[in-house]
Amino acid sequence: MESISLKRWLGRWPWLVSSRKLRETEQKFQLLLDGAADYAIFMLDTSGNVRSWSTAAQKMFGYTASEIHNNHFSCFYPQNTREAKIPQAELRIAGAHGRHEDTGLRVRKDGTEFWANVVLCPLVGDQGELKGFSNVTRDISERKQAEEILNRKEEELYQARKMEAIGRLAGGVAHDFNNLITGIIGLSEDLRDSAQLDDLGRGDIEEIIKAARRASNLTRQLLAFGRRQISSPQILNLNTIIKDLEKMLRRLLGADVELVVLLGSEIGNVKMDPAHIEQIIINLIMNARDAILGAGCITLETSRSGSSVSLQIRDTGTGMTEETLKHLFEPFYTTKATGKGTGLGLATVYGIVKQNQGDIFVDSRLGAGTTFKILFPETIEKGTATVGGNQNGVSPSTHEEKTLLVVEDEAIVRKAITRALRKGGYQVLTATSAEEAIALCISGEEKIDLLLTDVVLPGMNGQELAGRLLSTYPGLSVLYMSGYSENVIAHRGILEPGIHFIEKSFTSQSLLEKVRFVLNSSHPLPSSSPSTHE
Ligand SMILES: Nc1ncnc2c1ncn2[C@@H]1O[C@H](COP(=O)(O)OP(=O)(O)OP(=O)(O)O)[C@@H](O)[C@H]1O
Ligand SMILES: [Mg+2]
């Protein structure tokens, strides 16, 4: 046989070359389609029926080539878009504009949905006639999921920043505000107790005191929300607190609302300020009560949940709309009539829970009641699970001969405190700043038993002052007062152990009780006590 080159040989049968080339091209094309694992690439005819299929398409949608062949591509769309004839509209747009890209949900053979990015392009013949469409579908579920997580994170960050800002605002206002209220309450009480007032005057003063207390309460709630509330954590058991509160809660609820208390056994202890737990329970119970129109039931349940202690409050009330759920923990968000709610209840609860490294969840549907679930980390620290901080009943007569040094820069507060303490029988020296207090001690002749100092002072702060004085007079009792959690005596709002603190605003009675308590719990002064004069 004549030896000829392959090129010359093939030249004798040109049709063979073209059909082989075509086959090769088709094979390469199919390999390409099947190899593009993340892309389901397939062809449609002019009406949208599937005409070619790929391994990737089969993997993505679940149909084999024979199952899907000649089926309309709208079967990849969710029911609602199918009914709205969206697939047909998209083909028309692709035909008219040469391309159509869309991101939306698509449906697999088994009915599950996934997020897809789809590009439709028209296939046009030599004469410009429409021959069909190419469809390139990419599964973007993972990207979508990542986007959603990012969005959620951004939303959380936004919420956290908002709450931080409100906390800062409250903190900024609270110091001056609580200071003034302390003065208003103190001097009003003094006036009320004076003999010269007639009944009308006394009634007015009572109103002023009540208003001042409400103002103080508002600030306190804002501080709690901003996690700037000072707390004195103790090792305690939720069950004990609830048992102590139960009677009062039943009184709050009245006869139509049943309270069911289910206390889990061995739920573990938490380390928290008992007053804060009470605040949480009362706020949630009051909300539940308000949501029950007529008769209903509230269930208060404790249990152990892993390494957390769980507190659940369920009610058979109205439940909440999506809108309410969205804003639930925002301060001042309320659906109650003016004067009926301030919208600070749940903001306070949220702040306290977060300050104690806890979590709060809510499950509610309109007409189906509400469940709040709070998880607090269980503490393994040992301690006497006591509830207290109640210094009532301390004998009033034991410390009357004691001398107190009051350091407070706000004149009205200084005046109110001085009066209250003098009325309580104490000797009182005053200073408007730490520097003045030190000067007083150095030059003084009288011994000072207790330093009552504001935490925030112009110049040297209360703690530095106490430090200075204690280094010279180690037996000195110290009681701090402040309107909010400064990181001076408390870290993240939690008091350093052994530190005595009274939260502004306070009444004369609570101040006297606290002073007695501190004097009682402190060591007697050494004989080399300072001498001061007024
Ligand atoms: N258990 C509940 N059932 C139905 N809705 C609730 C429940 N708890 C709270 N809400 C809704 O959340 C809103 C905010 O509650 P939040 O306790 O913060 O404020 P408030 O109760 O309106 O006022 P405040 O507690 O300051 O007196 C309420 O107005 C109410 O619409
Ligand atoms: Mg409330």
Side-chain angles (χ1 to χ4, degrees), residues 1 25 111 115 133 138 223 229 247 293 299 323 327 330 343 363 374-375 381 411 414 429 436 444 509 524:
M1 194 181 158
T25 311
W115 279 97
F133 294 90
R138 191 155 52 104
L223 286 176
Q229 210 175 20
K247 216 160 130 193
L293 314 170
T299 310
E323 183 63 16
H327 300 289
E330 289 175 12
D363 182 19
I374 301 177
L375 294 177
E381 273 181 59
R414 213 168 44 241
L429 309 178
E436 199 183 317
Q509 195 196 345

PDB file of all heavy atoms in Angstrom, residues 1 25 111 115 133 138 223 229 247 293 299 323 327 330 343 363 374-375 381 411 414 429 436 444 509 524:
ATOM      1  N   MET A   1       0.843  -1.201   0.000  1.00  0.00           N
ATOM      2  CA  MET A   1       0.000   0.000   0.000  1.00  0.00           C
ATOM      3  C   MET A   1       0.879   1.252   0.000  1.00  0.00           C
ATOM      4  O   MET A   1       1.921   1.306   0.618  1.00  0.00           O
ATOM      5  CB  MET A   1      -0.880  -0.010   1.263  1.00  0.00           C
ATOM      6  CG  MET A   1      -2.006   0.980   1.189  1.00  0.00           C
ATOM      7  SD  MET A   1      -2.924   0.880   2.728  1.00  0.00           S
ATOM      8  CE  MET A   1      -3.697   2.400   2.742  1.00  0.00           C
ATOM      9  N   THR A  25     -15.593  17.415  19.052  1.00  0.00           N
ATOM     10  CA  THR A  25     -16.037  18.683  19.635  1.00  0.00           C
ATOM     11  C   THR A  25     -17.176  18.434  20.633  1.00  0.00           C
ATOM     12  O   THR A  25     -17.189  18.966  21.739  1.00  0.00           O
ATOM     13  CB  THR A  25     -16.539  19.642  18.535  1.00  0.00           C
ATOM     14  OG1 THR A  25     -15.567  19.679  17.518  1.00  0.00           O
ATOM     15  CG2 THR A  25     -16.786  21.022  19.091  1.00  0.00           C
ATOM     16  N   GLY A 111     -38.106  18.018  45.923  1.00  0.00           N
ATOM     17  CA  GLY A 111     -38.920  19.104  46.491  1.00  0.00           C
ATOM     18  C   GLY A 111     -38.134  20.081  47.344  1.00  0.00           C
ATOM     19  O   GLY A 111     -38.654  21.134  47.720  1.00  0.00           O
ATOM     20  N   TRP A 115     -30.717  28.021  46.931  1.00  0.00           N
ATOM     21  CA  TRP A 115     -30.511  29.329  46.305  1.00  0.00           C
ATOM     22  C   TRP A 115     -29.640  29.154  45.071  1.00  0.00           C
ATOM     23  O   TRP A 115     -28.620  28.460  45.134  1.00  0.00           O
ATOM     24  CB  TRP A 115     -29.840  30.291  47.273  1.00  0.00           C
ATOM     25  CG  TRP A 115     -30.835  30.880  48.213  1.00  0.00           C
ATOM     26  CD1 TRP A 115     -31.110  30.446  49.466  1.00  0.00           C
ATOM     27  CD2 TRP A 115     -31.693  31.991  47.972  1.00  0.00           C
ATOM     28  NE1 TRP A 115     -32.099  31.205  50.027  1.00  0.00           N
ATOM     29  CE2 TRP A 115     -32.475  32.164  49.129  1.00  0.00           C
ATOM     30  CE3 TRP A 115     -31.900  32.847  46.887  1.00  0.00           C
ATOM     31  CZ2 TRP A 115     -33.422  33.161  49.235  1.00  0.00           C
ATOM     32  CZ3 TRP A 115     -32.842  33.851  47.008  1.00  0.00           C
ATOM     33  CH2 TRP A 115     -33.604  34.001  48.163  1.00  0.00           C
ATOM     34  N   PHE A 133     -32.301  28.117  24.124  1.00  0.00           N
ATOM     35  CA  PHE A 133     -31.628  28.901  25.179  1.00  0.00           C
ATOM     36  C   PHE A 133     -30.593  28.028  25.886  1.00  0.00           C
ATOM     37  O   PHE A 133     -30.786  26.817  26.016  1.00  0.00           O
ATOM     38  CB  PHE A 133     -32.641  29.368  26.238  1.00  0.00           C
ATOM     39  CG  PHE A 133     -33.641  30.354  25.724  1.00  0.00           C
ATOM     40  CD1 PHE A 133     -34.845  29.918  25.172  1.00  0.00           C
ATOM     41  CD2 PHE A 133     -33.386  31.722  25.761  1.00  0.00           C
ATOM     42  CE1 PHE A 133     -35.786  30.819  24.691  1.00  0.00           C
ATOM     43  CE2 PHE A 133     -34.317  32.628  25.285  1.00  0.00           C
ATOM     44  CZ  PHE A 133     -35.522  32.185  24.749  1.00  0.00           C
ATOM     45  N   ARG A 138     -26.074  27.995  38.980  1.00  0.00           N
ATOM     46  CA  ARG A 138     -25.030  27.770  39.984  1.00  0.00           C
ATOM     47  C   ARG A 138     -25.691  27.723  41.368  1.00  0.00           C
ATOM     48  O   ARG A 138     -26.503  28.591  41.703  1.00  0.00           O
ATOM     49  CB  ARG A 138     -24.020  28.920  39.938  1.00  0.00           C
ATOM     50  CG  ARG A 138     -22.768  28.661  40.750  1.00  0.00           C
ATOM     51  CD  ARG A 138     -21.625  29.485  40.186  1.00  0.00           C
ATOM     52  NE  ARG A 138     -22.009  30.879  40.077  1.00  0.00           N
ATOM     53  CZ  ARG A 138     -21.594  31.826  40.922  1.00  0.00           C
ATOM     54  NH1 ARG A 138     -20.813  31.523  41.925  1.00  0.00           N
ATOM     55  NH2 ARG A 138     -21.979  33.067  40.755  1.00  0.00           N
ATOM     56  N   LEU A 223     -30.075  52.233  83.700  1.00  0.00           N
ATOM     57  CA  LEU A 223     -28.734  51.760  84.055  1.00  0.00           C
ATOM     58  C   LEU A 223     -28.654  50.247  83.952  1.00  0.00           C
ATOM     59  O   LEU A 223     -27.664  49.696  83.483  1.00  0.00           O
ATOM     60  CB  LEU A 223     -28.374  52.177  85.481  1.00  0.00           C
ATOM     61  CG  LEU A 223     -28.040  53.647  85.639  1.00  0.00           C
ATOM     62  CD1 LEU A 223     -27.785  53.967  87.099  1.00  0.00           C
ATOM     63  CD2 LEU A 223     -26.816  54.005  84.819  1.00  0.00           C
ATOM     64  N   GLN A 229     -25.543  48.851  86.183  1.00  0.00           N
ATOM     65  CA  GLN A 229     -26.070  48.726  87.525  1.00  0.00           C
ATOM     66  C   GLN A 229     -25.018  48.049  88.394  1.00  0.00           C
ATOM     67  O   GLN A 229     -24.400  47.083  87.967  1.00  0.00           O
ATOM     68  CB  GLN A 229     -27.314  47.843  87.467  1.00  0.00           C
ATOM     69  CG  GLN A 229     -28.337  48.153  88.508  1.00  0.00           C
ATOM     70  CD  GLN A 229     -29.587  47.298  88.295  1.00  0.00           C
ATOM     71  OE1 GLN A 229     -29.544  46.273  87.639  1.00  0.00           O
ATOM     72  NE2 GLN A 229     -30.677  47.715  88.865  1.00  0.00           N
ATOM     73  N   LYS A 247     -45.425  34.464  97.489  1.00  0.00           N
ATOM     74  CA  LYS A 247     -46.605  35.064  98.125  1.00  0.00           C
ATOM     75  C   LYS A 247     -46.896  36.440  97.510  1.00  0.00           C
ATOM     76  O   LYS A 247     -48.029  36.760  97.161  1.00  0.00           O
ATOM     77  CB  LYS A 247     -46.343  35.220  99.634  1.00  0.00           C
ATOM     78  CG  LYS A 247     -47.580  34.988 100.461  1.00  0.00           C
ATOM     79  CD  LYS A 247     -47.205  34.682 101.868  1.00  0.00           C
ATOM     80  CE  LYS A 247     -47.990  35.535 102.821  1.00  0.00           C
ATOM     81  NZ  LYS A 247     -47.448  35.481 104.180  1.00  0.00           N
ATOM     82  N   LEU A 293     -55.904  38.495  79.336  1.00  0.00           N
ATOM     83  CA  LEU A 293     -57.142  39.256  79.431  1.00  0.00           C
ATOM     84  C   LEU A 293     -58.169  38.314  80.055  1.00  0.00           C
ATOM     85  O   LEU A 293     -58.469  37.270  79.486  1.00  0.00           O
ATOM     86  CB  LEU A 293     -57.595  39.703  78.032  1.00  0.00           C
ATOM     87  CG  LEU A 293     -56.475  40.303  77.161  1.00  0.00           C
ATOM     88  CD1 LEU A 293     -56.934  40.490  75.729  1.00  0.00           C
ATOM     89  CD2 LEU A 293     -56.014  41.641  77.752  1.00  0.00           C
ATOM     90  N   THR A 299     -46.930  30.029  84.395  1.00  0.00           N
ATOM     91  CA  THR A 299     -46.110  28.965  84.978  1.00  0.00           C
ATOM     92  C   THR A 299     -44.680  29.460  85.136  1.00  0.00           C
ATOM     93  O   THR A 299     -44.091  29.993  84.202  1.00  0.00           O
ATOM     94  CB  THR A 299     -46.112  27.720  84.076  1.00  0.00           C
ATOM     95  OG1 THR A 299     -47.461  27.414  83.770  1.00  0.00           O
ATOM     96  CG2 THR A 299     -45.466  26.541  84.752  1.00  0.00           C
ATOM     97  N   GLU A 323     -43.882  42.183  64.882  1.00  0.00           N
ATOM     98  CA  GLU A 323     -43.380  43.540  65.075  1.00  0.00           C
ATOM     99  C   GLU A 323     -42.924  43.730  66.531  1.00  0.00           C
ATOM    100  O   GLU A 323     -41.841  44.239  66.792  1.00  0.00           O
ATOM    101  CB  GLU A 323     -44.507  44.533  64.715  1.00  0.00           C
ATOM    102  CG  GLU A 323     -44.152  45.984  64.794  1.00  0.00           C
ATOM    103  CD  GLU A 323     -43.059  46.400  63.810  1.00  0.00           C
ATOM    104  OE1 GLU A 323     -42.787  45.642  62.860  1.00  0.00           O
ATOM    105  OE2 GLU A 323     -42.459  47.467  64.034  1.00  0.00           O
ATOM    106  N   HIS A 327     -38.905  44.321  68.426  1.00  0.00           N
ATOM    107  CA  HIS A 327     -38.455  45.461  69.234  1.00  0.00           C
ATOM    108  C   HIS A 327     -38.460  45.177  70.726  1.00  0.00           C
ATOM    109  O   HIS A 327     -38.215  46.077  71.535  1.00  0.00           O
ATOM    110  CB  HIS A 327     -39.363  46.661  68.978  1.00  0.00           C
ATOM    111  CG  HIS A 327     -39.371  47.097  67.557  1.00  0.00           C
ATOM    112  ND1 HIS A 327     -38.290  47.713  66.980  1.00  0.00           N
ATOM    113  CD2 HIS A 327     -40.297  46.975  66.588  1.00  0.00           C
ATOM    114  CE1 HIS A 327     -38.569  47.969  65.711  1.00  0.00           C
ATOM    115  NE2 HIS A 327     -39.780  47.521  65.449  1.00  0.00           N
ATOM    116  N   GLU A 330     -35.966  46.580  73.293  1.00  0.00           N
ATOM    117  CA  GLU A 330     -35.531  47.971  73.155  1.00  0.00           C
ATOM    118  C   GLU A 330     -36.116  48.816  74.275  1.00  0.00           C
ATOM    119  O   GLU A 330     -37.299  48.689  74.582  1.00  0.00           O
ATOM    120  CB  GLU A 330     -36.008  48.545  71.817  1.00  0.00           C
ATOM    121  CG  GLU A 330     -35.265  47.968  70.649  1.00  0.00           C
ATOM    122  CD  GLU A 330     -35.831  48.454  69.327  1.00  0.00           C
ATOM    123  OE1 GLU A 330     -36.635  49.398  69.312  1.00  0.00           O
ATOM    124  OE2 GLU A 330     -35.451  47.845  68.309  1.00  0.00           O
ATOM    125  N   GLY A 343     -42.029  50.704  78.898  1.00  0.00           N
ATOM    126  CA  GLY A 343     -41.217  50.002  77.906  1.00  0.00           C
ATOM    127  C   GLY A 343     -39.807  49.752  78.399  1.00  0.00           C
ATOM    128  O   GLY A 343     -38.905  49.502  77.611  1.00  0.00           O
ATOM    129  N   ASP A 363     -40.349  32.847  73.008  1.00  0.00           N
ATOM    130  CA  ASP A 363     -41.119  32.105  72.028  1.00  0.00           C
ATOM    131  C   ASP A 363     -42.562  32.577  72.181  1.00  0.00           C
ATOM    132  O   ASP A 363     -43.155  32.417  73.253  1.00  0.00           O
ATOM    133  CB  ASP A 363     -40.986  30.601  72.333  1.00  0.00           C
ATOM    134  CG  ASP A 363     -41.730  29.766  71.311  1.00  0.00           C
ATOM    135  OD1 ASP A 363     -42.018  30.304  70.232  1.00  0.00           O
ATOM    136  OD2 ASP A 363     -42.016  28.593  71.591  1.00  0.00           O
ATOM    137  N   ILE A 374     -34.747  31.933  80.361  1.00  0.00           N
ATOM    138  CA  ILE A 374     -33.482  32.590  80.683  1.00  0.00           C
ATOM    139  C   ILE A 374     -32.506  31.534  81.188  1.00  0.00           C
ATOM    140  O   ILE A 374     -32.877  30.681  82.004  1.00  0.00           O
ATOM    141  CB  ILE A 374     -33.687  33.676  81.757  1.00  0.00           C
ATOM    142  CG1 ILE A 374     -34.685  34.707  81.242  1.00  0.00           C
ATOM    143  CG2 ILE A 374     -32.381  34.342  82.114  1.00  0.00           C
ATOM    144  CD1 ILE A 374     -35.024  35.777  82.234  1.00  0.00           C
ATOM    145  N   LEU A 375     -31.285  31.598  80.680  1.00  0.00           N
ATOM    146  CA  LEU A 375     -30.260  30.673  81.159  1.00  0.00           C
ATOM    147  C   LEU A 375     -29.179  31.472  81.869  1.00  0.00           C
ATOM    148  O   LEU A 375     -28.655  32.441  81.322  1.00  0.00           O
ATOM    149  CB  LEU A 375     -29.638  29.921  79.982  1.00  0.00           C
ATOM    150  CG  LEU A 375     -30.547  28.969  79.208  1.00  0.00           C
ATOM    151  CD1 LEU A 375     -29.803  28.365  78.040  1.00  0.00           C
ATOM    152  CD2 LEU A 375     -31.080  27.869  80.111  1.00  0.00           C
ATOM    153  N   GLU A 381     -18.735  27.789  92.563  1.00  0.00           N
ATOM    154  CA  GLU A 381     -18.218  28.358  93.813  1.00  0.00           C
ATOM    155  C   GLU A 381     -19.117  27.940  94.959  1.00  0.00           C
ATOM    156  O   GLU A 381     -20.333  27.848  94.801  1.00  0.00           O
ATOM    157  CB  GLU A 381     -18.241  29.886  93.730  1.00  0.00           C
ATOM    158  CG  GLU A 381     -17.011  30.466  93.100  1.00  0.00           C
ATOM    159  CD  GLU A 381     -17.094  31.983  93.079  1.00  0.00           C
ATOM    160  OE1 GLU A 381     -17.209  32.585  94.169  1.00  0.00           O
ATOM    161  OE2 GLU A 381     -17.073  32.543  91.969  1.00  0.00           O
ATOM    162  N   ALA A 411     -23.570  70.275  96.256  1.00  0.00           N
ATOM    163  CA  ALA A 411     -23.970  70.913  97.510  1.00  0.00           C
ATOM    164  C   ALA A 411     -25.277  70.359  98.084  1.00  0.00           C
ATOM    165  O   ALA A 411     -25.365  70.059  99.279  1.00  0.00           O
ATOM    166  CB  ALA A 411     -24.085  72.420  97.302  1.00  0.00           C
ATOM    167  N   ARG A 414     -24.755  66.982  99.601  1.00  0.00           N
ATOM    168  CA  ARG A 414     -23.970  67.085 100.844  1.00  0.00           C
ATOM    169  C   ARG A 414     -24.888  67.524 101.992  1.00  0.00           C
ATOM    170  O   ARG A 414     -24.866  66.966 103.080  1.00  0.00           O
ATOM    171  CB  ARG A 414     -22.855  68.107 100.622  1.00  0.00           C
ATOM    172  CG  ARG A 414     -21.589  67.795 101.363  1.00  0.00           C
ATOM    173  CD  ARG A 414     -20.427  68.647 100.902  1.00  0.00           C
ATOM    174  NE  ARG A 414     -20.737  70.045 100.717  1.00  0.00           N
ATOM    175  CZ  ARG A 414     -20.624  70.664  99.556  1.00  0.00           C
ATOM    176  NH1 ARG A 414     -20.242  70.006  98.474  1.00  0.00           N
ATOM    177  NH2 ARG A 414     -20.915  71.950  99.465  1.00  0.00           N
ATOM    178  N   LEU A 429     -18.420  65.518 109.503  1.00  0.00           N
ATOM    179  CA  LEU A 429     -17.516  66.485 108.870  1.00  0.00           C
ATOM    180  C   LEU A 429     -17.751  66.393 107.373  1.00  0.00           C
ATOM    181  O   LEU A 429     -18.067  65.323 106.869  1.00  0.00           O
ATOM    182  CB  LEU A 429     -16.054  66.132 109.151  1.00  0.00           C
ATOM    183  CG  LEU A 429     -15.663  65.897 110.605  1.00  0.00           C
ATOM    184  CD1 LEU A 429     -14.198  65.511 110.688  1.00  0.00           C
ATOM    185  CD2 LEU A 429     -15.919  67.154 111.426  1.00  0.00           C
ATOM    186  N   GLU A 436      -9.596  68.116  99.731  1.00  0.00           N
ATOM    187  CA  GLU A 436     -10.080  68.816 100.939  1.00  0.00           C
ATOM    188  C   GLU A 436     -10.222  67.811 102.087  1.00  0.00           C
ATOM    189  O   GLU A 436      -9.885  68.122 103.237  1.00  0.00           O
ATOM    190  CB  GLU A 436     -11.442  69.448 100.613  1.00  0.00           C
ATOM    191  CG  GLU A 436     -11.838  70.555 101.560  1.00  0.00           C
ATOM    192  CD  GLU A 436     -13.229  71.094 101.213  1.00  0.00           C
ATOM    193  OE1 GLU A 436     -13.523  71.299 100.015  1.00  0.00           O
ATOM    194  OE2 GLU A 436     -14.023  71.292 102.151  1.00  0.00           O
ATOM    195  N   GLY A 444      -6.685  67.596 111.266  1.00  0.00           N
ATOM    196  CA  GLY A 444      -7.808  67.430 112.190  1.00  0.00           C
ATOM    197  C   GLY A 444      -7.448  66.964 113.585  1.00  0.00           C
ATOM    198  O   GLY A 444      -6.361  66.468 113.845  1.00  0.00           O
ATOM    199  N   GLN A 509     -33.415  56.951 105.562  1.00  0.00           N
ATOM    200  CA  GLN A 509     -33.487  55.723 106.344  1.00  0.00           C
ATOM    201  C   GLN A 509     -32.523  54.662 105.794  1.00  0.00           C
ATOM    202  O   GLN A 509     -31.786  54.035 106.541  1.00  0.00           O
ATOM    203  CB  GLN A 509     -34.914  55.188 106.318  1.00  0.00           C
ATOM    204  CG  GLN A 509     -35.139  54.135 107.379  1.00  0.00           C
ATOM    205  CD  GLN A 509     -36.411  53.344 107.109  1.00  0.00           C
ATOM    206  OE1 GLN A 509     -37.247  53.751 106.303  1.00  0.00           O
ATOM    207  NE2 GLN A 509     -36.552  52.227 107.775  1.00  0.00           N
ATOM    208  N   PRO A 524     -12.819  47.683 114.968  1.00  0.00           N
ATOM    209  CA  PRO A 524     -12.733  48.906 115.745  1.00  0.00           C
ATOM    210  C   PRO A 524     -11.486  49.703 115.349  1.00  0.00           C
ATOM    211  O   PRO A 524     -10.505  49.124 114.889  1.00  0.00           O
ATOM    212  CB  PRO A 524     -12.631  48.400 117.184  1.00  0.00           C
ATOM    213  CG  PRO A 524     -12.182  46.987 117.072  1.00  0.00           C
ATOM    214  CD  PRO A 524     -12.654  46.474 115.754  1.00  0.00           C
TER     215      PRO A 524
END
